[in-house]
Amino acid sequence: MGLPQNAITLTPEQIAALNEKLSVTRHDINNHLSLIVAAVELLRRKPEMAPKLLDSLSQQPDKIIAHMRGFSTDFEQTFGITKD
């Protein structure tokens, strides 16, 4: 991983933008995790709902990964981190 060789200075606006992206990412991931928890609880009570819920459940990990990748990319770009 290529880290910057010099100190990085961020403007307050850049920090605010990165913080906003982190907040949105955290919120979106929490929503996906909440959906998983709710679906599992529903399946415990009504196992017959499995066919309807499995598709939605199986999509959640990919959505979480996409959100993390997006934030990671923004974070790395902001700090000049490269993947060597």
Side-chain angles (χ1 to χ4, degrees), residues 24-59:
V24 168
T25 300
R26 185 173 40 237
H27 178 268
D28 290 344
I29 289 173
N30 283 335
N31 281 346
H32 296 303
L33 292 172
S34 294
L35 192 149
I36 292 169
V37 170
V40 168
E41 287 301 316
L42 187 56
L43 286 171
R44 284 189 177 135
R45 296 172 191 260
K46 297 184 176 186
E48 67 276 8
M49 300 227 15
K52 290 183 180 180
L53 294 174
L54 285 177
D55 188 46
S56 177
L57 275 172
S58 67
Q59 293 174 13

